[in-house]
Amino acid sequence: MFNKSDYITRGYNFINNHLFSQRKRLSSLMIYATDLCDSACKHCLIWAKRPPAYLSFEKIVEIMQSRCVTPSTMVGLEGGEFLLHPEADKILGWFAENHPHFDLFSNCLKPEKLIQAVEKYKPHRLYISLDGDKDTYLYMRGKDGYENVLQVISRLKDKLPVFVMFTLSPYNDFKDLEHVAELCREHGVFLRVGIYNNIPFFDTIDDAKDSGFGQYKNKELLTYRKAKELQENKGERTAGEATVDTKEVAGETGVPPLLIKEFGENYDYINLYQNWTKGQLRLRCHSILDSVVILPNGDVPICQNLDVKLGNIFTSNLDEIFNGPENAKKQQFYSHNCNQCWVSYHRKYDIILYRTFEKYFGKWATGKMLGYYKWDDDDKLTYKQVVK
């Protein structure tokens, strides 16, 4: 899914960042340039936020001058919908000339504008969202954008690596995942699966752990008024609203369609989810030591999941925030002790890290080098014994 050089760079940063906690280098920097969005998703309600926030062109360029950002840092430009940013073209132009190692994220609701931007500014990779078939797309994302996604794939798949992002959630199911996987195989593009999490920035409503996959599939469309009501009355969903048996949809063990094995870094991530929800899996969080997200209001959280702020780039620079002595201690604490999320941005890296070390050094040595971990309730089981 990624180039060999991507893994080598991240491996180098892994060593550097563990040796020098106040001189860490970023492998990944996700810039949420705006929360303005033209979708109406049920699994993310930032489109209902008013007024929208933006990171200015000048602030983004300032962030990119930070010492912790290197030429090999992979930068993601996203939102909201990034292309709705009033300075989107100016920002893309700067990256194309000064930091071509950047990815563009889009919902494809403005396909021609996206295609023109990709052809003009040539991002390293393109990430686009597709969460099911045509009906599921409409009910989950609130807009009839399925054909737009297919149009973008068809027009751009031979011009750059295209990654189709699928979020497994209470609003779709494994049948939708299989549909998207088959589409990706047919068109020769990559698939990247995430699982719905309660991420503060996305203003999620339904409890991720207590909601089954497909529990609210194809219920009514979400209007702006209804979204505001949900934001004001969080936690009022009940199991009685379920339209299907969640165990029938997700499976007792959460085993995904076998087709997913054709797309690396997805099968084990989904397969291990049930173990994590039951408290049977534990991995130390190493990703927060080389990955950062910056939100449209300038906040820099310690990760995508926790509502723990390292700082704000309008009051401190990114080097002070990411590598300051107090935050370095905070990062080390959460890296050693946190096991609270299954966000793909963080956990896929940790899975790859532990399974790779275990493959070459064995389970005992891996635990000594990376910290105590377990794939299942029996902490003696190896990755290969658990993920089959």
Side-chain angles (χ1 to χ4, degrees):
M1 184 175 287
F2 293 96
N3 297 327
K4 186 176 180 180
S5 60
D6 294 326
Y7 292 108
I8 293 173
T9 298
R10 197 151 192 183
Y12 171 79
N13 289 342
F14 173 82
I15 296 171
N16 175 82
N17 295 356
H18 280 76
L19 292 176
F20 308 105
S21 63
Q22 294 183 50
R23 298 207 303 265
K24 297 188 298 298
R25 299 157 54 101
L26 283 171
S27 298
S28 175
L29 172 62
M30 306 305 289
I31 300 177
Y32 290 91
T34 179
D35 51 22
L36 182 62
C37 187
D38 50 357
S39 193
C41 299
K42 293 178 179 177
H43 62 301
C44 168
L45 300 188
I46 62 173
W47 55 273
K49 289 182 178 178
R50 296 292 187 275
Y54 305 92
L55 289 173
S56 69
F57 167 80
E58 289 77 16
K59 179 56 68 174
I60 290 175
V61 172
E62 177 187 311
I63 290 168
M64 292 301 298
Q65 309 306 318
S66 305
R67 291 188 302 275
C68 60
V69 178
T70 72
S72 61
T73 300
M74 178 53 69
V75 179
L77 299 176
E78 53 185 307
E81 172 57 29
F82 176 81
L83 291 179
L84 295 179
H85 193 294
E87 297 178 294
D89 284 310
K90 192 175 180 180
I91 295 168
L92 288 169
W94 185 92
F95 273 92
E97 183 175 348
N98 297 281
H99 194 94
H101 210 51
F102 75 97
D103 296 333
L104 179 61
F105 291 69
S106 178
N107 59 22
C108 297
L109 289 181
K110 291 181 171 55
E112 287 300 330
K113 185 174 182 178
L114 173 61
I115 291 167
Q116 291 173 11
V118 168
E119 292 177 338
K120 182 176 181 180
Y121 300 113
K122 298 177 173 58
H124 188 68
R125 293 183 290 243
L126 174 66
Y127 288 83
I128 57 179
S129 301
L130 183 62
D131 299 305
D133 61 20
K134 189 175 179 66
D135 286 338
T136 298
Y137 188 106
L138 175 62
Y139 284 101
M140 180 170 171
R141 304 189 70 87
K143 298 292 179 69
D144 187 12
Y146 182 85
E147 297 299 333
N148 292 342
V149 177
L150 297 187
Q151 178 185 350
V152 169
I153 291 174
S154 177
R155 296 268 296 275
L156 295 178
K157 65 180 181 179
D158 297 323
K159 298 184 178 182
L160 81 168
V162 175
F163 286 71
V164 176
M165 298 187 298
F166 178 96
T167 301
L168 189 59
S169 73
Y171 317 104
N172 58 9
D173 54 32
F174 281 139
K175 291 181 181 178
D176 292 303
L177 175 54
E178 188 165 22
H179 172 85
V180 174
E182 289 173 348
L183 187 149
C184 289
R185 182 170 63 179
E186 175 187 348
H187 290 276
V189 296
F190 300 97
L191 173 66
R192 184 167 178 83
V193 180
I195 295 178
Y196 173 82
N197 286 267
N198 295 114
I199 299 176
F201 173 61
F202 294 139
D203 248 1
T204 53
I205 297 299
D206 295 296
D207 186 88
K209 280 190 175 183
D210 290 341
S211 299
F213 302 146
Q215 184 172 357
Y216 306 114
K217 181 177 176 178
N218 289 6
K219 292 182 72 69
E220 75 284 352
L221 296 176
L222 191 58
T223 64
Y224 174 78
R225 177 178 293 182
K226 180 64 175 177
K228 298 304 290 185
E229 291 176 359
L230 289 171
Q231 287 174 326
E232 294 169 2
N233 301 285
K234 285 190 176 184
E236 292 190 359
R237 291 276 203 183
T238 64
E241 294 182 6
T243 59
V244 294
D245 185 328
T246 58
K247 288 186 178 180
E248 179 182 333
V249 173
E252 291 269 359
T253 58
V255 177
L258 291 178
L259 176 58
I260 306 305
K261 285 189 173 183
E262 296 182 16
F263 302 91
E265 303 173 13
N266 290 305
Y267 183 78
D268 52 6
Y269 168 73
I270 304 171
N271 214 335
L272 292 167
Y273 174 69
Q274 294 293 335
N275 289 9
W276 173 75
T277 60
K278 297 174 183 175
Q280 298 170 345
L281 177 149
R282 178 172 185 80
L283 299 177
R284 178 182 164 186
C285 186
H286 290 274
S287 65
I288 62 172
L289 300 181
D290 80 338
S291 302
V292 155
V293 300
I294 301 177
L295 305 183
N297 66 356
D299 282 343
V300 181
I302 195 168
C303 68
Q304 286 196 348
N305 181 67
L306 295 175
D307 197 16
V308 176
K309 304 292 190 300
L310 294 178
N312 186 290
I313 51 92
F314 289 107
T315 56
S316 303
N317 64 54
L318 184 58
D319 288 312
E320 293 170 341
I321 294 170
F322 184 58
N323 280 325
E326 291 304 314
N327 279 341
K329 293 178 183 177
K330 186 181 295 185
Q331 289 163 331
Q332 287 294 330
F333 173 81
Y334 281 100
S335 175
H336 280 86
N337 298 290
C338 188
N339 189 47
Q340 297 183 44
C341 85
W342 205 247
V343 177
S344 61
Y345 183 61
H346 300 290
R347 300 317 258 168
K348 284 189 176 182
Y349 172 67
D350 295 322
I351 292 171
I352 293 169
L353 189 65
Y354 274 95
R355 81 183 188 199
T356 302
F357 269 68
E358 189 179 278
K359 177 181 178 181
Y360 291 104
F361 304 110
K363 197 168 190 314
W364 181 85
T366 298
K368 289 295 182 182
M369 290 185 285
L370 300 183
Y372 172 77
Y373 73 105
K374 59 177 183 173
W375 301 110
D376 208 336
D377 209 28
D378 183 351
D379 62 6
K380 295 184 178 62
L381 294 176
T382 65
Y383 170 86
K384 282 191 173 182
Q385 291 173 314
V386 174
V387 180
K388 301 174 181 179

